[in-house]
Amino acid sequence: MPFDFRRFDIYRKVPKDLTQPTYTGAIISVCCCLFILFLFLSELTGFIATEIVNELYVDDPDKDSGGKIEVNLNISLPNLHCELVGLDIQDEMGRHEVGHIDNSMKIPLNNGDGCRFEGHFSINKVPGNFHVSTHSATAQPQNPDMTHIIHKLSFGDKLQGRDLQVVEVQNVHGAFNALEGADKLSSNPLASHDYILKIVPTVYEDMSGKQRYSYQYTVANKEYVAYSHTGRIIPAIWFRYDLSPITVKYTERRQPLYRFITSICAIIGGTFTVAGILDSCIFTASEAWKKIQLGKMQ
C-alpha cells in the first residue's frame, strides 16, 4: 500500500454538502469576527505604543556631570526692588557665593516696586543651600518684604512640559517641579521661608538608548521671624537641599513582536473555539427542541 502523506493532515476538510448553515451560526460568526477585530486593534495599539518601565537602584547616574547639578529658578517678589534681590549659594564643600549673577535676570514688577528673578546655575552634589535675599545689596532695607510666588524650581534636564521638543515623556509622572505655583503672598512680610528639599536623581532612557538626567524632589517648608541677640535677622527665602542615594530610572520599551503574534493567535484561536462551542450548544438545543415539538423525543 503506497504511503499517503495526507494522513498527517490534522485539519481535515468536511465537504460542503455535509454542512448546514443556520441563522444562529451566521449571527455568532459575525459577532465573532467583530470581536476579533476589536481585540486585534487593541493589541495593535498596544504594540505600536511604548510603555514606561521604572526601576530603583543605588548609584550616581550622571557621572560625567563633574559632580554638578543644573538648577532653574524662577521666582517673583512683588514687594521688593530688583536692586535689593540677590542669590547666594552655600554648600558643605566650602562654597559660599554671595550675589550670584551669572545666567540670571531680574525683571521689574509693579512699576519697579517688585522683582521677578530668573536664574540658571549649578550646585555641587553635596548638601547645601541657595537662597534669595538682600544680603548682596549695598544697603540693607529696613523692612524687606519676602512675600513671593515660585513659578519654577527644577533640577537637571527637563522631562515634563508643553515645550518639550526632544521626546514625549508625558507618561512620566513625578515631582520635577514640586514648588511650581507656591504662593506666599499672604505670609508675614518680615518672615523667612525655609524650603527643605530631598532631591532624587532620575534617569529617562528612550527607545534609542539616549539617556536624560533630571531630578525629582520632595519638599517641606516653614516660615518664621528670626531674632538674635542683636535684634531681628534679615529675612530670606532658603532652599536647603540634600541628595538621595536612590536613583529612579524610567525606560521606554515596546512590546516584542513575538508577544504580539502570540496574543493575536490566542485571540483568534480562543474566540473561534468559544464561538464554535456556543454555536454547537445552541444548534444541539434547537434540534432537541424540534424533536420534542414533533413528539420524537422519548
Side-chain angles (χ1 to χ4, degrees):
M1 183 177 180
F3 174 74
D4 189 357
F5 187 74
R6 292 179 298 177
R7 292 181 179 178
F8 292 101
D9 184 7
I10 60 176
Y11 303 103
R12 301 296 179 96
K13 309 303 183 292
V14 179
K16 287 187 177 181
D17 56 349
L18 296 180
T19 60
Q20 177 184 349
T22 62
Y23 285 108
T24 304
I27 294 172
I28 293 176
S29 298
V30 171
C31 293
C32 176
C33 291
L34 292 176
F35 186 65
I36 289 175
L37 179 62
F38 169 73
L39 293 181
F40 172 78
L41 293 176
S42 300
E43 284 294 322
L44 183 61
T45 302
F47 174 69
I48 295 174
T50 57
E51 61 177 347
I52 306 297
V53 180
N54 62 74
E55 57 181 314
L56 303 176
Y57 59 92
V58 178
D59 193 14
D60 177 12
D62 191 9
K63 296 183 176 64
D64 298 327
S65 64
K68 302 286 186 180
I69 300 175
E70 297 298 320
V71 184
N72 292 285
L73 175 64
N74 189 329
I75 184 172
S76 290
L77 297 92
N79 302 306
L80 195 64
H81 293 278
C82 279
E83 61 267 19
L84 300 174
V85 176
L87 177 70
D88 310 327
I89 306 173
Q90 297 174 285
D91 62 36
E92 292 186 359
M93 290 182 68
R95 181 182 183 182
H96 189 180
E97 186 176 347
V98 179
H100 179 88
I101 58 174
D102 294 338
N103 299 317
S104 63
M105 179 171 57
K106 300 177 185 178
I107 304 171
L109 300 174
N110 301 333
N111 298 318
D113 292 333
C115 186
R116 179 166 178 154
F117 178 86
E118 298 180 10
H120 178 79
F121 54 96
S122 62
I123 56 176
N124 295 315
K125 291 183 177 179
V126 295
N129 74 79
F130 51 91
H131 52 277
V132 178
S133 69
T134 62
H135 297 163
S136 60
T138 53
Q140 293 297 317
Q142 192 69 21
N143 295 305
D145 188 334
M146 303 308 292
T147 55
H148 61 277
I149 297 176
I150 300 174
H151 307 289
K152 180 180 181 180
L153 177 60
S154 63
F155 301 86
D157 293 337
K158 188 174 183 180
L159 292 185
Q160 291 181 329
R162 302 187 195 101
D163 58 341
L164 184 65
Q165 299 178 357
V166 183
V167 289
E168 258 190 36
V169 290
Q170 284 84 353
N171 291 330
V172 173
H173 302 289
F176 295 95
N177 191 11
L179 278 173
E180 179 181 16
D183 188 336
K184 299 297 180 180
L185 295 180
S186 60
S187 300
N188 184 344
L190 300 177
S192 290
H193 299 266
D194 263 14
Y195 294 99
I196 296 91
L197 314 177
K198 192 69 172 181
I199 301 175
V200 181
T202 304
V203 183
Y204 181 85
E205 183 176 319
D206 61 21
M207 294 290 295
S208 65
K210 181 180 178 181
Q211 293 186 336
R212 306 185 68 190
Y213 303 98
S214 186
Y215 297 84
Q216 303 180 60
Y217 62 92
T218 59
V219 59
N221 71 285
K222 64 178 180 178
E223 59 180 82
Y224 55 91
V225 178
Y227 291 91
S228 68
H229 63 280
T230 58
R232 180 169 49 79
I233 297 176
I234 298 174
I237 304 170
W238 298 82
F239 300 93
R240 309 180 192 273
Y241 61 88
D242 194 6
L243 271 80
S244 168
I246 301 297
T247 294
V248 180
K249 184 177 182 181
Y250 297 98
T251 306
E252 235 182 27
R253 292 180 184 172
R254 182 167 286 146
Q255 182 180 346
L257 179 60
Y258 73 86
R259 188 177 299 172
F260 173 69
I261 295 175
T262 302
S263 299
I264 296 303
C265 291
I267 289 171
I268 296 174
T271 304
F272 271 118
T273 300
V274 173
I277 294 173
L278 179 62
D279 179 61
S280 178
C281 292
I282 294 175
F283 180 76
T284 302
S286 175
E287 291 297 307
W289 177 248
K290 289 179 181 178
K291 290 182 179 181
I292 292 175
Q293 286 183 321
L294 294 175
K296 294 182 179 181
M297 185 72 70
Q298 297 298 328

